[in-house]
Structures are given as C-alpha cells and as structure tokens.
Amino acid sequence: MEQDFQSWTEKYRPKNFLELKGQDNAILEIKNFFNSFPSNKKAIVFHGPAGVGKTSIAYAIQKELNLEMFELNASDFRNKEQLLVKLKPASEQHSLFKKGKVLLVDEVDGLSSSDRGGLPELLELIESTKFPIVITANNIWDAKFGELRNKCKLVGLKELDYKVVSLILQEVSKKEKLTIDNQVLVSLSIKSKGDVRAALNDLQILSSDMDISYLTIDERNKDGDIFNVLKFVFKYMLTPETLRIYDSLDMPLDKIFLWLEENIPYEYSGEELYNAYEALSIADVFRGRIQRQRHWRFLIYQNIFLSAGISLSKTKPRTGFTQYKKPTRVLKIWMNNEKEKYKKSIISKYAYLSHCSKKKAAKEFYLIKNILKNEKLQKELDLSEQEISYIKKFN
C-alpha cells in the first residue's frame, strides 16, 4: 500500500468512459451532446446526489475526447467582475495543445441569485461560449435555476447500486493490495447509500495505519443517525473525519446543538466537562453572530468548535456503552408551546368579544381565567373542550 496522503477518490478517479460504472444511460446522453455540439444547447448539467460521479464524468470526458479542461467551482466567484476575469477568456480562447476545450463549472449550487452577476453572467456566457460548458449540481430543481434549466441539457445521475459500489471497492482493494474481507466491503457499500466518494473515504480510513479501533461499519448513516455521530465525537480522539462528521446528518444544526448540550454530561466530567461546554458555548456565540449579522464565514468556526472542539475536550478515548438521551429542552419547549397555545386562543376570543386589545386581555388574564369558569361565558366565547380544560386547571 502506498504510504501517501493522496485521497483515493482522486487517485482512482475514472480516466475514461469504460471505467465509469453504473451510469450507462447518462453516458449515452452525454456522448450525444458532445457529438452534436453546438447544434442544440451549449451547456449540459450533470445533477444528482453527492458522490455519484458528476465531476468524475466531466474529467472522463476531457481525457476521452482529448480536451483541455478549465475548471471553476461556483463558490470561487461571487460577482460579475470575478466571473469575467476567470471564465469569459476561457470561453473564447482556443486550446493550444488539445483538440478542443471544455469548461467545467462545478457545484453550481454555490451560486446565489443574490450574487452580483454570478448566475446571470453564467447564463450570458452559455449564450456566447464557443466551447461546451459542463455544470454539476446536487439540486438543479431549485427555483433560482429555472432559466438555467431552459438553456442546458439536463442529465440526471442516479445513486449507484451497492453491488456496483462494492465492485469499485474490490478493484481499489486489489490495487492497494489490501486484505479486507469481502463482507466488510459489501457492508461499506450498503451503508454508503450510493455515495462512491463516501465509500472510498471509509475504505481508505479502514486501511490506514492509524488506530481504527473506533471505526465500525455502521458508522455512516446518511439518514441521520445522531447516536453514532455523538459516539464518534464523544468517544474517539480527533481524526480528519471528525470535522466532517455532521455532514452525514440530515438534521438542522440547531437540533444538533440541543443533542450535544443534553448528552455532554453523560460522557465528560470535571475539567473535560468544562472544556466541552466551553467549546459548545463558543460555537453558540458564532451561531448568534451568523444569525444577527449574516456573517456566513463564521460557519466554519462554528463547525470546528462543535466537532473538533468538543472531541478535543477529553484526554483519552472513551470505552463502554453510553445511552444517549433525546434533548429534554425540546420536549419542554413543545409542552410550553402547547400550554400557551390555548391561553393565546382564549385571550384572542375574549379580546374580540369585549372589544379590547389582546395586549390588555393578556395583562388581565389572571382575572379573566376566573371569570371564564362560568359555563355561560364559555358558551358565549365558543371555547373548545381543550380551552375549557385549560381554564379548569386554575383553582
């Protein structure tokens, strides 16, 4: 096995169409697009979930057709001036050493309709370009991409079957001279949910010389296994995967905060407990700045303190089983909201019938709640059974 730090997703990126697996129908559409260019549309969009080979297909096209590749990530430009400097010259100048040129705009999801010219300028370049433009996107059906969809040929890439992913892992294992049981490779393939990049990353970690006692095949769960994520952060020492651990969760970050807050005391104590809550509090400070001031650049710092910060709070790995609990604060908030819901509806009905403001009725609710125990008034206000039950709770 080569002892280098090259990512296997890059090292084993397909070099031609023959090496691409599981996307046969999409490849046929792509070949037809390039063979007929520019008879119809000048840009093609590869769209689909992460890790299915969108960027890999673009590079396979470059090598298969002997084209020069000019690549930009959509997040590299945020305004018209930057896009003009970087992309427009590439769309007009012929290649000196290759048969032609292809322009790649990777991860177009990073473009916002509010950028100063980013998306509109891309649309204009599609009209004027002399070379085919390949665009990759996770979600091309966002409303902001309506005009872009009309100007491009759309090719959807599907999640790969686990058998296809397993075959890729077997080939890489053979090239790396690994002795990993085939059932482990199958398990990695199933858990990747069609994400080849994720499967290759897991295989590379599994095969490394580092201490992998913490790694279980069940660790990856794209449906959002918060329990495994908490286990990874709380029990194991810092690894490169720790910084990306929350990417595997289909859960809002606000809820992740609550899960961490609830379960830190079950793993840490003493100085480690202090350090973990300190990291969580600093992450919360950055969250507040993001929400109030829209400083999105702070997202990276917030994520670092939530992942690496909490993980580094301990001095050694944890062992044993810990039963993590659902955030009780969420339940308390929900219960309070449910309780306040009936109070607000009663206040609203009383204010309407007595021709006073809701603010005044709320202020005087300590008196109103006793008056409304009268059944005649309850009927006059048309109180529901739940609202009447709420009133009866007060003695």
Side-chain angles (χ1 to χ4, degrees), residues 368-382:
I368 295 170
K369 65 186 180 184
N370 295 319
I371 296 172
L372 293 184
K373 290 179 180 178
N374 184 293
E375 293 184 2
K376 184 178 179 180
L377 285 176
Q378 291 173 2
K379 290 181 180 179
E380 194 170 349
L381 288 176
D382 193 24

Side-chain angles (χ1 to χ4, degrees), residues 90-108:
S91 70
E92 297 174 346
Q93 299 169 1
H94 288 275
S95 174
L96 296 176
F97 306 105
K98 302 287 185 177
K99 285 185 177 180
K101 183 183 292 187
V102 59
L103 311 178
L104 172 62
V105 179
D106 207 11
E107 299 178 351
V108 76

Side-chain angles (χ1 to χ4, degrees), residues 11 48 179 235 264 335 394:
K11 185 176 181 180
T179 55
K235 290 189 176 296
I264 284 175
M335 291 175 66
F394 299 100

Side-chain angles (χ1 to χ4, degrees), residues 203-269:
L203 180 63
Q204 188 170 11
I205 293 172
L206 191 64
S207 66
S208 67
D209 293 333
M210 60 185 283
D211 178 11
I212 59 169
S213 59
Y214 63 86
L215 185 63
T216 64
I217 302 305
D218 295 329
E219 207 64 63
R220 182 175 302 280
N221 186 342
K222 289 175 67 178
D223 293 333
D225 193 344
I226 183 65
F227 296 96
N228 277 339
V229 168
L230 292 177
K231 175 183 173 183
F232 197 99
V233 174
F234 289 153
K235 290 189 176 296
Y236 312 137
M237 301 307 289
L238 183 66
T239 73
E241 285 296 299
T242 307
L243 291 170
R244 301 188 294 272
I245 191 64
Y246 299 121
D247 294 343
S248 65
L249 279 177
D250 184 16
M251 179 182 288
L253 208 54
D254 287 346
K255 286 190 177 180
I256 294 175
F257 266 88
L258 294 173
W259 277 91
L260 291 167
E261 177 191 52
E262 181 75 20
N263 290 286
I264 284 175
Y266 297 115
E267 289 287 6
Y268 298 147
S269 61

Side-chain angles (χ1 to χ4, degrees), residues 105-215:
V105 179
D106 207 11
E107 299 178 351
V108 76
D109 306 77
L111 276 178
S112 169
S113 55
S114 63
D115 292 334
R116 290 197 305 113
L119 190 55
E121 191 65 17
L122 176 58
L123 293 169
E124 186 178 324
L125 283 169
I126 291 173
E127 291 286 344
S128 61
T129 183
K130 299 177 182 178
F131 309 106
I133 298 178
V134 172
I135 300 169
T136 70
N138 291 330
N139 179 23
I140 194 59
W141 303 111
D142 191 299
K144 67 182 179 182
F145 294 133
E147 191 174 353
L148 182 65
R149 291 195 298 270
N150 292 333
K151 290 182 178 291
C152 302
K153 177 177 177 60
L154 305 182
V155 177
L157 302 180
K158 61 182 181 179
E159 287 187 352
L160 297 183
D161 185 89
Y162 81 92
K163 295 177 182 178
V164 177
V165 179
S166 179
L167 181 61
I168 295 172
L169 296 185
Q170 289 175 35
E171 292 180 354
V172 171
S173 296
K174 185 176 180 180
K175 292 175 181 177
E176 292 290 328
K177 299 179 181 179
L178 304 178
T179 55
I180 297 179
D181 188 271
N182 190 56
Q183 287 303 313
V184 174
L185 299 181
V186 171
S187 296
L188 284 175
S189 304
I190 293 172
K191 295 302 179 183
S192 72
K193 302 290 184 67
D195 188 333
V196 179
R197 180 168 57 236
L200 284 173
N201 286 339
D202 282 349
L203 180 63
Q204 188 170 11
I205 293 172
L206 191 64
S207 66
S208 67
D209 293 333
M210 60 185 283
D211 178 11
I212 59 169
S213 59
Y214 63 86
L215 185 63

